[in-house]
Amino acid sequence: MTAVGTHRRPIRAVMFFADEPETCARWWARHLTGATEIQVEAGFCWFELEGIEIGFHPADAERNPRGGSPVVYWAAADVLTERDAFLEAGCLPHRGPLDVEPGRRICQLVDPFGNVFGLDGP
């Protein structure tokens, strides 16, 4: 059996499914330093962040429900400090923080739109 893709590929895009894609995209762009201007096309909204497209698509209860996105972990210089900042910005705790190996901690939060995301770092 041959593996699909025999070399490492960087993340190109991350997709969130939201009831209000533009509102969700604006919230994220405001809280991620370096985000480009938000683009809107036919209900789909996105911005770029360090070469990665961050997209927000209208949720579909049957195929792509709100909060049903994969968990994406953002690199964090200090998980606890950044977690606190996201909690103050309206997020809810989901899991952790957990020490997963020496010198590495993760946590998961739920943004104000029901999407689960993670922080990964020291």
Side-chain angles (χ1 to χ4, degrees), residues 14-30 37-47 54-60 64-67 69 111-115:
V14 176
M15 178 73 66
F16 289 97
F17 296 94
D19 292 332
E20 298 177 33
E22 188 169 351
T23 301
C24 190
R26 292 194 184 289
W27 185 90
W28 272 104
R30 188 171 61 247
E37 184 176 332
I38 294 172
Q39 305 295 310
V40 179
E41 186 178 311
F44 176 69
C45 304
W46 73 95
F47 57 84
I54 312 297
F56 302 85
H57 192 282
D60 177 318
N64 298 108
R66 178 180 66 90
S69 303
D111 75 11
F113 312 97
N115 297 300

Side-chain angles (χ1 to χ4, degrees), residues 98-106 120-122:
L98 304 169
D99 292 319
V100 294
E101 60 185 48
R104 183 175 177 210
R105 178 179 287 155
I106 63 170
D120 185 332

Side-chain angles (χ1 to χ4, degrees), residues 27 31 84-93 110-113:
W27 185 90
H31 292 287
D84 288 345
F86 275 110
L87 292 172
E88 288 178 25
C91 293
L92 298 173
V110 181
D111 75 11
F113 312 97

